Amino acid sequence: MSSGTTKLDVTVADVVPVNELVTRFHFRPTSGGLLPTFSGGAHVVVEMREEGKAPRLNPYSLMSSPLDTTEYTISVRRDDAGRGGSLFMHNRVKPGDRMVVSYPVNLFSLDLRAKKHLMIAGGIGITPFVAQTAQLAAEGGNFELHYACRTAALFTYGDLLRERYGKRVHLYHDDRGEKIALDRLLTSQPLGTHLYVCGPAPMIDWVRGRAAALGWPTENVHFEHFSAPQPGKPFDVTLALSGKTIRVGEQQSLLEAIEAAGVDPPYLCRGGVCGQCETNVVSHDGTFLHNDHWLSDEDRASGRKIMPCVSRFEGKSLVLER
Amino acid sequence: MGIQFRKETFRDDFSFRNSPEHIRRFPFPFHEDSYMYAVNIEPHRPGPKGSVLEHPFDVDEHYVSEMEDRALVLAEDPLRCQSLPHMTLAGWDLLELIMTSKAESYPEHFSLTRDGDNWHWINRPLNIDQTFVFGDTTTLPYGPMEYITRQAQGDYCILDQRDNNLWMDAGIVTTQADWSLDFDIGMNFFEWHAPVPLAHEMGIFQRALKFLLNVQQGQPARRLNWTMTINPRLDTSPENYHKWGPDRTTVTPENVGQKVHLRVELQTFWRLPRSNALVFPIRCYLIKMDELVTSEKWAKRLHRVIRDLPEELATYKGLTRYRPTLVEWLSKYDDGGVTSPGFGPD
Amino acid sequence: MPIEPTIKSRPVYGTLSPQKGTEHLLIADAEGAQAILDLAKAAPEGFFSAAEIVFIPRATGDRYVAALKGLTPARFYEGPSIAAALPRLRQTLATAHVGLRVYLAGTEGLMGQAMQVALEAGIDHSSIQTEHRGSLARRVQCVHCKGITEDVTTQPVTCAHCGLTLFVRDHYSRRLAAFQGVCINAEDRSEQVPVEEAFP
């Protein structure tokens, strides 16, 4: 089957600054009509094209209601230290622009068997929950959202969610010393509750760690890492199957560099989660910078696998089976 | 001009048959003169005009009669259609998929008008005219999955995706090759395939699951499977095995051509948008040996496949009792000549 | 006799071990009691003060009861049959919280039926600890009439409901807590199949 996902041609319908760090983008189908239906938790891969530069493809969670497919909306947090994807969105994208996004893919799906959905969000990790709560509310689903943020000014959609769902939404301001009473929360849930967490890596680790210690089965704990590819030192790679040698630029991911050379590995998430672009290492002399959440510790120790969407390399030589 | 629907039966007097045009479009499953399992999954792209692959959901001359047979099976045994409580949303997804697809493929037979959540569905072959509210189960006579699959040929299994596996949590199964939905509902991919011999050891299911978990919206996939059935009986369920099992003892050299049928399943796989579940339609096509041998190539090839089939597979497919009689009968159509590559009848 | 993993739907069982959790529910019948006593040797301090033991002695009579009580669980229940214990079990689970861990030991019939109740309460089957002890007798669902025959030890077996002669497959349904029974001589009912002791 072809690599990646099916594409959608969309037009930017609106660009809305939400706060000093976050901007929301609205996409409508360029040809009119409705966009494909999606499920809460799904993301799309947004293609960012600039003349003279290799295209960047970043995943963003859909945060509009799955019940309304006249448009897709995403919220992008500006990352001044990142590879420029978020800066491109913030600085370059204007209403009326035509863009290409992928079909929705859901790697952070609700478990619909749940008798209750307990959601914990940190910062921009709120976006998939905006869509999921809309979906659940429409079906009379039982959910509770606990959302932590640094300051009131950065509380993206906090007021909106409070307005929509009232007491089912709990907000915690770090700068006011408010903290999620996690152990109390985790020990008071009825059987059949599923736990979802999305936010910065330390938060995810904290929640998963406490859940495990308090007897939550792994099947009931769902999490989404927001890991965008990080910039790094340029490095050279030989693609053994296609007989090409390529250079991965400072602001480029290894996957993007492979694609720029005309080789198309399969992908879905471009965030180190789905496992689709897993690539065998033929030989290497140097150090891997693994940034994915897919490979096992054994895979990493073996030095024979890499996830090119988020991981990098430093050293003398790297030969991949691509 | 639309499809001319045949009035026929799949039980009692077994009046089912294929018209000559339908014989030519039969999805013959063997592309070479032997058969072994493979992960033979490919994208479900539209096939040639007139073929069973022309449209996403094929409707053929047996449609009306098959739906009557389904209604009879469900009246006898309501356990053939079950949906675990969390699968209702997926049922709506399926209803939307089938209604929009059929209305687009066969506008002379089906139409769908949507005004927000207020839908109007017309199924002319079955004389159905239904207005309902999408998402509101009280506005349909059955649950959404049962409602639409009483109007769609083939069995349907809806698979919930979680914990890196697929779980058979809903389905309607009345034209099956000897497996029980009532028993298998709730099982994961490896569990419901557990009774299949050899394939587990070959790693077939691990590879197939990995593929299916990544089937994306807008990118359906398909594969063919096959077995054989005595008499054109759609409902060869384990529930009724003690009723149809004796048919297998009735095959004689004189009646092979009319009694023995090749049974082909066109299986497709679709990601459902709201539920993120996967729907797995299993569409059954039957062809009598007398019909099949009207293609010299198919006759030769089927002879060789059945003759050389590994014993475990023959047993699993229930051929053991009549295989020698069938092979002897087919051998008359096999001059040992070379067959052309591909599935087609020549 | 260890249970061999024959086909992928045939359950295989492990050895009970203490799990992290806020409460512990241990359910056993007959020789399954010994699995709980063995688990106790590895249990951390305070484990049984947050534990409930549900025990169906069956043919073992008083053999294990004192020893189980000696573990001083927070709650101890001794019942006359699996069926009699299930309503209590349902109620316990209806008011329980995530963090409750379930441990099952003994016959496949006991483990299957207790797991069935746990699944209905929203516990994922893979988070449940199991250990087989004692008889290999099976619960069998007749695929034809849907009736369940308990404590099947022979192959084939006569369906207790419709009377068909059933071949007992290894194909197992967690939802039904039963193995599948299929008419063994459906194609030719005059065939006589010898009955053998298969699940002692």
Side-chain angles (χ1 to χ4, degrees), chain A residues 1-2 4 6 36-39 103-106 109 111-113 135 139 219 268 276, chain B residues 42-43 86 89 96 160 162-163 169 211 214 216-221 273-276:
Chain A
M1 190 161 270
S2 66
T6 320
T37 309
F38 65 98
S39 49
Y103 250 67
V105 173
N106 199 339
S109 189
D111 191 322
L112 296 173
R113 294 172 307 164
Q135 177 179 337
E139 294 158 13
E219 293 77 14
L268 287 177
Q276 284 290 292
Chain B
E42 58 177 350
H86 61 284
L89 186 63
E96 177 186 49
D160 195 19
R162 51 177 201 267
D163 303 327
D169 286 349
F211 178 89
N214 285 307
Q216 294 304 312
Q217 217 176 313
Q219 296 187 324
R274 292 170 189 78
S275 56
N276 204 37

mmCIF file of all heavy atoms in Angstrom, chain A residues 1-2 4 6 36-39 103-106 109 111-113 135 139 219 268 276, chain B residues 42-43 86 89 96 160 162-163 169 211 214 216-221 273-276:
data_model
loop_
_atom_site.group_PDB
_atom_site.id
_atom_site.type_symbol
_atom_site.label_atom_id
_atom_site.label_comp_id
_atom_site.label_asym_id
_atom_site.label_seq_id
_atom_site.Cartn_x
_atom_site.Cartn_y
_atom_site.Cartn_z
ATOM 1 N N MET A 1 0.852 -1.202 0.000
ATOM 2 C CA MET A 1 0.000 0.000 0.000
ATOM 3 C C MET A 1 0.886 1.249 0.000
ATOM 4 O O MET A 1 2.003 1.229 0.491
ATOM 5 C CB MET A 1 -0.903 -0.028 1.231
ATOM 6 C CG MET A 1 -1.969 1.027 1.194
ATOM 7 S SD MET A 1 -3.324 0.646 2.323
ATOM 8 C CE MET A 1 -4.405 -0.281 1.269
ATOM 9 N N SER A 2 0.391 2.315 -0.528
ATOM 10 C CA SER A 2 1.203 3.511 -0.679
ATOM 11 C C SER A 2 1.620 4.051 0.681
ATOM 12 O O SER A 2 0.981 3.806 1.689
ATOM 13 C CB SER A 2 0.414 4.576 -1.433
ATOM 14 O OG SER A 2 -0.683 4.985 -0.653
ATOM 15 N N GLY A 4 2.384 6.756 3.716
ATOM 16 C CA GLY A 4 1.664 7.907 4.229
ATOM 17 C C GLY A 4 0.171 7.711 4.139
ATOM 18 O O GLY A 4 -0.349 6.612 4.162
ATOM 19 N N THR A 6 -3.817 9.328 2.673
ATOM 20 C CA THR A 6 -4.467 10.039 1.582
ATOM 21 C C THR A 6 -4.478 11.539 1.899
ATOM 22 O O THR A 6 -4.586 11.927 3.052
ATOM 23 C CB THR A 6 -5.911 9.539 1.425
ATOM 24 O OG1 THR A 6 -5.889 8.131 1.604
ATOM 25 C CG2 THR A 6 -6.465 9.864 0.070
ATOM 26 N N PRO A 36 -13.802 14.630 5.515
ATOM 27 C CA PRO A 36 -14.108 13.290 6.039
ATOM 28 C C PRO A 36 -14.372 13.340 7.553
ATOM 29 O O PRO A 36 -13.730 14.096 8.284
ATOM 30 C CB PRO A 36 -12.835 12.491 5.750
ATOM 31 C CG PRO A 36 -12.148 13.237 4.668
ATOM 32 C CD PRO A 36 -12.503 14.681 4.846
ATOM 33 N N THR A 37 -15.322 12.543 7.988
ATOM 34 C CA THR A 37 -15.614 12.423 9.412
ATOM 35 C C THR A 37 -14.382 11.856 10.128
ATOM 36 O O THR A 37 -13.611 11.106 9.541
ATOM 37 C CB THR A 37 -16.797 11.452 9.606
ATOM 38 O OG1 THR A 37 -17.844 11.875 8.754
ATOM 39 C CG2 THR A 37 -17.290 11.454 11.030
ATOM 40 N N PHE A 38 -14.208 12.224 11.395
ATOM 41 C CA PHE A 38 -13.077 11.680 12.156
ATOM 42 C C PHE A 38 -13.551 11.350 13.563
ATOM 43 O O PHE A 38 -14.695 11.639 13.932
ATOM 44 C CB PHE A 38 -11.903 12.663 12.176
ATOM 45 C CG PHE A 38 -12.194 13.948 12.902
ATOM 46 C CD1 PHE A 38 -11.778 14.111 14.226
ATOM 47 C CD2 PHE A 38 -12.874 14.997 12.294
ATOM 48 C CE1 PHE A 38 -12.031 15.296 14.906
ATOM 49 C CE2 PHE A 38 -13.132 16.174 12.961
ATOM 50 C CZ PHE A 38 -12.715 16.330 14.274
ATOM 51 N N SER A 39 -12.688 10.716 14.342
ATOM 52 C CA SER A 39 -13.027 10.390 15.725
ATOM 53 C C SER A 39 -12.144 11.199 16.660
ATOM 54 O O SER A 39 -11.015 11.555 16.305
ATOM 55 C CB SER A 39 -12.850 8.896 15.965
ATOM 56 O OG SER A 39 -11.594 8.461 15.496
ATOM 57 N N TYR A 103 -5.527 12.737 5.469
ATOM 58 C CA TYR A 103 -6.748 12.216 6.062
ATOM 59 C C TYR A 103 -6.510 12.085 7.565
ATOM 60 O O TYR A 103 -5.385 11.862 8.002
ATOM 61 C CB TYR A 103 -7.031 10.817 5.502
ATOM 62 C CG TYR A 103 -8.219 10.733 4.591
ATOM 63 C CD1 TYR A 103 -8.203 11.361 3.346
ATOM 64 C CD2 TYR A 103 -9.338 9.986 4.950
ATOM 65 C CE1 TYR A 103 -9.294 11.256 2.499
ATOM 66 C CE2 TYR A 103 -10.426 9.873 4.103
ATOM 67 C CZ TYR A 103 -10.403 10.511 2.882
ATOM 68 O OH TYR A 103 -11.483 10.401 2.047
ATOM 69 N N PRO A 104 -7.562 12.191 8.385
ATOM 70 C CA PRO A 104 -7.366 12.008 9.818
ATOM 71 C C PRO A 104 -6.922 10.572 10.140
ATOM 72 O O PRO A 104 -7.393 9.616 9.522
ATOM 73 C CB PRO A 104 -8.759 12.258 10.408
ATOM 74 C CG PRO A 104 -9.549 12.902 9.323
ATOM 75 C CD PRO A 104 -8.953 12.474 8.032
ATOM 76 N N VAL A 105 -6.027 10.459 11.106
ATOM 77 C CA VAL A 105 -5.552 9.165 11.601
ATOM 78 C C VAL A 105 -5.678 9.217 13.116
ATOM 79 O O VAL A 105 -5.278 10.205 13.724
ATOM 80 C CB VAL A 105 -4.071 8.942 11.228
ATOM 81 C CG1 VAL A 105 -3.543 7.673 11.882
ATOM 82 C CG2 VAL A 105 -3.887 8.884 9.723
ATOM 83 N N ASN A 106 -6.221 8.180 13.715
ATOM 84 C CA ASN A 106 -6.379 8.226 15.172
ATOM 85 C C ASN A 106 -5.477 7.219 15.862
ATOM 86 O O ASN A 106 -5.666 6.015 15.742
ATOM 87 C CB ASN A 106 -7.833 7.973 15.572
ATOM 88 C CG ASN A 106 -8.100 8.477 16.989
ATOM 89 O OD1 ASN A 106 -7.171 8.650 17.776
ATOM 90 N ND2 ASN A 106 -9.354 8.713 17.311
ATOM 91 N N SER A 109 -7.169 6.899 20.484
ATOM 92 C CA SER A 109 -8.604 6.692 20.374
ATOM 93 C C SER A 109 -9.215 6.491 21.756
ATOM 94 O O SER A 109 -8.584 5.945 22.646
ATOM 95 C CB SER A 109 -8.773 5.435 19.519
ATOM 96 O OG SER A 109 -10.079 5.239 19.167
ATOM 97 N N ASP A 111 -11.452 4.485 24.339
ATOM 98 C CA ASP A 111 -11.913 3.109 24.482
ATOM 99 C C ASP A 111 -13.404 3.199 24.792
ATOM 100 O O ASP A 111 -13.794 3.592 25.893
ATOM 101 C CB ASP A 111 -11.154 2.378 25.587
ATOM 102 C CG ASP A 111 -11.452 0.879 25.559
ATOM 103 O OD1 ASP A 111 -12.615 0.519 25.293
ATOM 104 O OD2 ASP A 111 -10.532 0.082 25.787
ATOM 105 N N LEU A 112 -14.212 2.867 23.804
ATOM 106 C CA LEU A 112 -15.650 3.101 23.941
ATOM 107 C C LEU A 112 -16.311 2.117 24.909
ATOM 108 O O LEU A 112 -17.485 2.257 25.231
ATOM 109 C CB LEU A 112 -16.334 3.061 22.576
ATOM 110 C CG LEU A 112 -15.890 4.185 21.618
ATOM 111 C CD1 LEU A 112 -16.476 3.987 20.230
ATOM 112 C CD2 LEU A 112 -16.281 5.561 22.160
ATOM 113 N N ARG A 113 -15.554 1.143 25.398
ATOM 114 C CA ARG A 113 -16.112 0.250 26.417
ATOM 115 C C ARG A 113 -16.159 0.923 27.774
ATOM 116 O O ARG A 113 -16.807 0.448 28.691
ATOM 117 C CB ARG A 113 -15.247 -1.006 26.578
ATOM 118 C CG ARG A 113 -15.216 -1.921 25.382
ATOM 119 C CD ARG A 113 -14.181 -3.000 25.627
ATOM 120 N NE ARG A 113 -12.885 -2.440 25.984
ATOM 121 C CZ ARG A 113 -11.896 -3.119 26.543
ATOM 122 N NH1 ARG A 113 -12.052 -4.387 26.837
ATOM 123 N NH2 ARG A 113 -10.740 -2.541 26.812
ATOM 124 N N GLN A 135 -17.285 14.839 21.335
ATOM 125 C CA GLN A 135 -17.859 13.571 20.884
ATOM 126 C C GLN A 135 -18.620 12.883 22.026
ATOM 127 O O GLN A 135 -19.752 12.432 21.861
ATOM 128 C CB GLN A 135 -16.738 12.665 20.361
ATOM 129 C CG GLN A 135 -17.222 11.293 19.932
ATOM 130 C CD GLN A 135 -16.095 10.420 19.383
ATOM 131 O OE1 GLN A 135 -15.063 10.902 18.924
ATOM 132 N NE2 GLN A 135 -16.306 9.120 19.424
ATOM 133 N N GLU A 139 -22.925 12.037 22.919
ATOM 134 C CA GLU A 139 -23.466 10.687 23.109
ATOM 135 C C GLU A 139 -23.883 10.449 24.556
ATOM 136 O O GLU A 139 -24.195 9.322 24.934
ATOM 137 C CB GLU A 139 -22.400 9.639 22.763
ATOM 138 C CG GLU A 139 -22.015 9.612 21.308
ATOM 139 C CD GLU A 139 -20.647 8.980 21.106
ATOM 140 O OE1 GLU A 139 -20.122 8.359 22.052
ATOM 141 O OE2 GLU A 139 -20.102 9.121 20.008
ATOM 142 N N GLU A 219 -4.014 -1.748 30.252
ATOM 143 C CA GLU A 219 -5.078 -1.668 29.234
ATOM 144 C C GLU A 219 -6.001 -0.477 29.476
ATOM 145 O O GLU A 219 -6.715 -0.045 28.567
ATOM 146 C CB GLU A 219 -5.935 -2.939 29.233
ATOM 147 C CG GLU A 219 -5.212 -4.198 28.783
ATOM 148 C CD GLU A 219 -4.305 -4.769 29.854
ATOM 149 O OE1 GLU A 219 -4.412 -4.361 31.030
ATOM 150 O OE2 GLU A 219 -3.474 -5.620 29.506
ATOM 151 N N LEU A 268 2.628 7.322 9.508
ATOM 152 C CA LEU A 268 1.304 7.800 9.907
ATOM 153 C C LEU A 268 1.395 8.992 10.836
ATOM 154 O O LEU A 268 0.737 9.992 10.657
ATOM 155 C CB LEU A 268 0.502 6.689 10.621
ATOM 156 C CG LEU A 268 -0.018 5.561 9.738
ATOM 157 C CD1 LEU A 268 -0.713 4.518 10.601
ATOM 158 C CD2 LEU A 268 -1.012 6.109 8.719
ATOM 159 N N GLN A 276 5.274 3.006 11.989
ATOM 160 C CA GLN A 276 5.235 2.746 10.548
ATOM 161 C C GLN A 276 6.576 2.943 9.847
ATOM 162 O O GLN A 276 6.913 2.206 8.945
ATOM 163 C CB GLN A 276 4.195 3.661 9.892
ATOM 164 C CG GLN A 276 2.783 3.229 10.124
ATOM 165 C CD GLN A 276 2.451 1.963 9.369
ATOM 166 O OE1 GLN A 276 2.386 1.943 8.147
ATOM 167 N NE2 GLN A 276 2.264 0.882 10.104
ATOM 168 N N GLU B 42 -4.728 -6.643 -0.749
ATOM 169 C CA GLU B 42 -4.358 -5.572 -1.678
ATOM 170 C C GLU B 42 -5.334 -4.410 -1.506
ATOM 171 O O GLU B 42 -6.406 -4.584 -0.927
ATOM 172 C CB GLU B 42 -4.404 -6.083 -3.122
ATOM 173 C CG GLU B 42 -5.774 -6.634 -3.500
ATOM 174 C CD GLU B 42 -5.849 -7.080 -4.952
ATOM 175 O OE1 GLU B 42 -4.923 -6.810 -5.720
ATOM 176 O OE2 GLU B 42 -6.874 -7.682 -5.318
ATOM 177 N N PRO B 43 -4.963 -3.221 -2.005
ATOM 178 C CA PRO B 43 -5.893 -2.085 -1.895
ATOM 179 C C PRO B 43 -7.213 -2.402 -2.595
ATOM 180 O O PRO B 43 -7.216 -3.006 -3.667
ATOM 181 C CB PRO B 43 -5.161 -0.957 -2.614
ATOM 182 C CG PRO B 43 -3.728 -1.342 -2.589
ATOM 183 C CD PRO B 43 -3.695 -2.832 -2.628
ATOM 184 N N HIS B 86 -20.757 -1.249 23.317
ATOM 185 C CA HIS B 86 -19.931 -0.108 22.893
ATOM 186 C C HIS B 86 -19.831 0.015 21.369
ATOM 187 O O HIS B 86 -19.122 0.893 20.879
ATOM 188 C CB HIS B 86 -18.529 -0.219 23.492
ATOM 189 C CG HIS B 86 -17.782 -1.445 23.076
ATOM 190 N ND1 HIS B 86 -18.055 -2.680 23.591
ATOM 191 C CD2 HIS B 86 -16.785 -1.634 22.194
ATOM 192 C CE1 HIS B 86 -17.250 -3.576 23.053
ATOM 193 N NE2 HIS B 86 -16.470 -2.955 22.189
ATOM 194 N N LEU B 89 -21.989 3.058 17.902
ATOM 195 C CA LEU B 89 -21.446 4.140 17.072
ATOM 196 C C LEU B 89 -20.865 3.575 15.772
ATOM 197 O O LEU B 89 -21.069 4.134 14.688
ATOM 198 C CB LEU B 89 -20.379 4.913 17.858
ATOM 199 C CG LEU B 89 -19.804 6.158 17.194
ATOM 200 C CD1 LEU B 89 -20.882 7.210 16.990
ATOM 201 C CD2 LEU B 89 -18.651 6.731 18.033
ATOM 202 N N GLU B 96 -23.774 4.556 7.371
ATOM 203 C CA GLU B 96 -23.419 5.672 6.489
ATOM 204 C C GLU B 96 -22.586 5.192 5.301
ATOM 205 O O GLU B 96 -22.835 5.559 4.148
ATOM 206 C CB GLU B 96 -22.638 6.727 7.278
ATOM 207 C CG GLU B 96 -22.173 7.891 6.416
ATOM 208 C CD GLU B 96 -21.277 8.868 7.174
ATOM 209 O OE1 GLU B 96 -20.325 8.416 7.836
ATOM 210 O OE2 GLU B 96 -21.528 10.075 7.110
ATOM 211 N N ASP B 160 -13.426 -3.847 16.849
ATOM 212 C CA ASP B 160 -12.967 -2.720 17.654
ATOM 213 C C ASP B 160 -11.444 -2.788 17.704
ATOM 214 O O ASP B 160 -10.873 -3.873 17.810
ATOM 215 C CB ASP B 160 -13.558 -2.835 19.068
ATOM 216 C CG ASP B 160 -13.441 -1.533 19.857
ATOM 217 O OD1 ASP B 160 -13.242 -0.467 19.239
ATOM 218 O OD2 ASP B 160 -13.552 -1.581 21.096
ATOM 219 N N ARG B 162 -8.105 -1.915 19.715
ATOM 220 C CA ARG B 162 -7.511 -1.448 20.966
ATOM 221 C C ARG B 162 -6.391 -2.387 21.372
ATOM 222 O O ARG B 162 -6.351 -3.541 20.957
ATOM 223 C CB ARG B 162 -8.570 -1.336 22.072
ATOM 224 C CG ARG B 162 -9.418 -2.561 22.253
ATOM 225 C CD ARG B 162 -10.413 -2.421 23.406
ATOM 226 N NE ARG B 162 -10.806 -3.736 23.834
ATOM 227 C CZ ARG B 162 -11.875 -4.387 23.377
ATOM 228 N NH1 ARG B 162 -12.674 -3.826 22.485
ATOM 229 N NH2 ARG B 162 -12.149 -5.610 23.790
ATOM 230 N N ASP B 163 -5.476 -1.874 22.183
ATOM 231 C CA ASP B 163 -4.346 -2.667 22.670
ATOM 232 C C ASP B 163 -3.631 -3.405 21.531
ATOM 233 O O ASP B 163 -3.260 -4.572 21.672
ATOM 234 C CB ASP B 163 -4.801 -3.669 23.745
ATOM 235 C CG ASP B 163 -5.496 -2.973 24.905
ATOM 236 O OD1 ASP B 163 -5.105 -1.828 25.204
ATOM 237 O OD2 ASP B 163 -6.436 -3.550 25.480
ATOM 238 N N ASP B 169 -16.370 -7.420 18.001
ATOM 239 C CA ASP B 169 -17.345 -7.013 19.014
ATOM 240 C C ASP B 169 -18.741 -6.764 18.459
ATOM 241 O O ASP B 169 -19.647 -6.403 19.209
ATOM 242 C CB ASP B 169 -16.826 -5.770 19.761
ATOM 243 C CG ASP B 169 -15.702 -6.133 20.734
ATOM 244 O OD1 ASP B 169 -15.487 -7.337 20.964
ATOM 245 O OD2 ASP B 169 -15.037 -5.219 21.260
ATOM 246 N N PHE B 211 -0.959 -5.364 9.200
ATOM 247 C CA PHE B 211 -1.503 -4.610 8.075
ATOM 248 C C PHE B 211 -2.858 -3.989 8.428
ATOM 249 O O PHE B 211 -3.094 -2.803 8.206
ATOM 250 C CB PHE B 211 -1.637 -5.528 6.862
ATOM 251 C CG PHE B 211 -2.241 -4.842 5.671
ATOM 252 C CD1 PHE B 211 -1.432 -4.175 4.760
ATOM 253 C CD2 PHE B 211 -3.616 -4.815 5.476
ATOM 254 C CE1 PHE B 211 -1.983 -3.518 3.683
ATOM 255 C CE2 PHE B 211 -4.175 -4.152 4.401
ATOM 256 C CZ PHE B 211 -3.353 -3.506 3.506
ATOM 257 N N ASN B 214 -3.351 -0.882 10.524
ATOM 258 C CA ASN B 214 -2.976 0.379 9.897
ATOM 259 C C ASN B 214 -3.812 0.733 8.677
ATOM 260 O O ASN B 214 -3.481 1.661 7.954
ATOM 261 C CB ASN B 214 -1.489 0.370 9.554
ATOM 262 C CG ASN B 214 -0.653 0.551 10.799
ATOM 263 O OD1 ASN B 214 -0.851 1.490 11.550
ATOM 264 N ND2 ASN B 214 0.249 -0.372 11.049
ATOM 265 N N GLN B 216 -6.252 2.699 6.788
ATOM 266 C CA GLN B 216 -6.665 4.072 7.077
ATOM 267 C C GLN B 216 -7.952 4.409 6.360
ATOM 268 O O GLN B 216 -8.286 3.826 5.329
ATOM 269 C CB GLN B 216 -5.562 5.052 6.649
ATOM 270 C CG GLN B 216 -4.290 4.905 7.455
ATOM 271 C CD GLN B 216 -4.536 5.058 8.943
ATOM 272 O OE1 GLN B 216 -5.198 5.994 9.367
ATOM 273 N NE2 GLN B 216 -4.021 4.134 9.750
ATOM 274 N N GLN B 217 -8.629 5.382 6.932
ATOM 275 C CA GLN B 217 -9.842 5.923 6.324
ATOM 276 C C GLN B 217 -9.559 6.305 4.869
ATOM 277 O O GLN B 217 -8.532 6.915 4.583
ATOM 278 C CB GLN B 217 -10.200 7.173 7.105
ATOM 279 C CG GLN B 217 -11.658 7.415 7.302
ATOM 280 C CD GLN B 217 -11.843 8.634 8.174
ATOM 281 O OE1 GLN B 217 -11.191 8.769 9.198
ATOM 282 N NE2 GLN B 217 -12.695 9.525 7.765
ATOM 283 N N GLY B 218 -10.453 5.925 3.987
ATOM 284 C CA GLY B 218 -10.273 6.280 2.583
ATOM 285 C C GLY B 218 -9.349 5.338 1.843
ATOM 286 O O GLY B 218 -9.096 5.512 0.655
ATOM 287 N N GLN B 219 -8.783 4.343 2.543
ATOM 288 C CA GLN B 219 -7.882 3.387 1.899
ATOM 289 C C GLN B 219 -8.282 1.957 2.243
ATOM 290 O O GLN B 219 -7.555 1.243 2.930
ATOM 291 C CB GLN B 219 -6.439 3.623 2.346
ATOM 292 C CG GLN B 219 -5.888 4.976 1.914
ATOM 293 C CD GLN B 219 -4.412 5.108 2.225
ATOM 294 O OE1 GLN B 219 -3.934 4.615 3.236
ATOM 295 N NE2 GLN B 219 -3.688 5.764 1.340
ATOM 296 N N PRO B 220 -9.471 1.506 1.782
ATOM 297 C CA PRO B 220 -9.890 0.144 2.099
ATOM 298 C C PRO B 220 -8.995 -0.898 1.423
ATOM 299 O O PRO B 220 -8.305 -0.582 0.456
ATOM 300 C CB PRO B 220 -11.318 0.086 1.548
ATOM 301 C CG PRO B 220 -11.372 1.130 0.494
ATOM 302 C CD PRO B 220 -10.441 2.221 0.945
ATOM 303 N N ALA B 221 -9.048 -2.112 1.954
ATOM 304 C CA ALA B 221 -8.238 -3.208 1.414
ATOM 305 C C ALA B 221 -9.136 -4.413 1.195
ATOM 306 O O ALA B 221 -10.274 -4.438 1.662
ATOM 307 C CB ALA B 221 -7.113 -3.545 2.387
ATOM 308 N N PRO B 273 -15.047 6.007 10.477
ATOM 309 C CA PRO B 273 -14.547 7.310 10.902
ATOM 310 C C PRO B 273 -14.849 7.705 12.347
ATOM 311 O O PRO B 273 -13.968 8.226 13.023
ATOM 312 C CB PRO B 273 -15.211 8.278 9.929
ATOM 313 C CG PRO B 273 -16.408 7.571 9.406
ATOM 314 C CD PRO B 273 -16.054 6.105 9.414
ATOM 315 N N ARG B 274 -16.064 7.515 12.838
ATOM 316 C CA ARG B 274 -16.398 8.024 14.177
ATOM 317 C C ARG B 274 -15.887 7.120 15.280
ATOM 318 O O ARG B 274 -15.487 7.564 16.349
ATOM 319 C CB ARG B 274 -17.916 8.158 14.336
ATOM 320 C CG ARG B 274 -18.532 9.224 13.480
ATOM 321 C CD ARG B 274 -20.049 9.129 13.499
ATOM 322 N NE ARG B 274 -20.611 10.025 12.512
ATOM 323 C CZ ARG B 274 -20.641 9.761 11.217
ATOM 324 N NH1 ARG B 274 -20.171 8.621 10.769
ATOM 325 N NH2 ARG B 274 -21.138 10.636 10.367
ATOM 326 N N SER B 275 -15.969 5.826 15.028
ATOM 327 C CA SER B 275 -15.654 4.841 16.063
ATOM 328 C C SER B 275 -14.201 4.390 15.997
ATOM 329 O O SER B 275 -13.718 3.752 16.927
ATOM 330 C CB SER B 275 -16.552 3.627 15.872
ATOM 331 O OG SER B 275 -16.386 3.131 14.549
ATOM 332 N N ASN B 276 -13.517 4.687 14.897
ATOM 333 C CA ASN B 276 -12.172 4.187 14.653
ATOM 334 C C ASN B 276 -12.136 2.657 14.618
ATOM 335 O O ASN B 276 -11.082 2.039 14.771
ATOM 336 C CB ASN B 276 -11.176 4.725 15.688
ATOM 337 C CG ASN B 276 -9.740 4.729 15.172
ATOM 338 O OD1 ASN B 276 -9.508 4.994 13.991
ATOM 339 N ND2 ASN B 276 -8.783 4.410 16.029
#
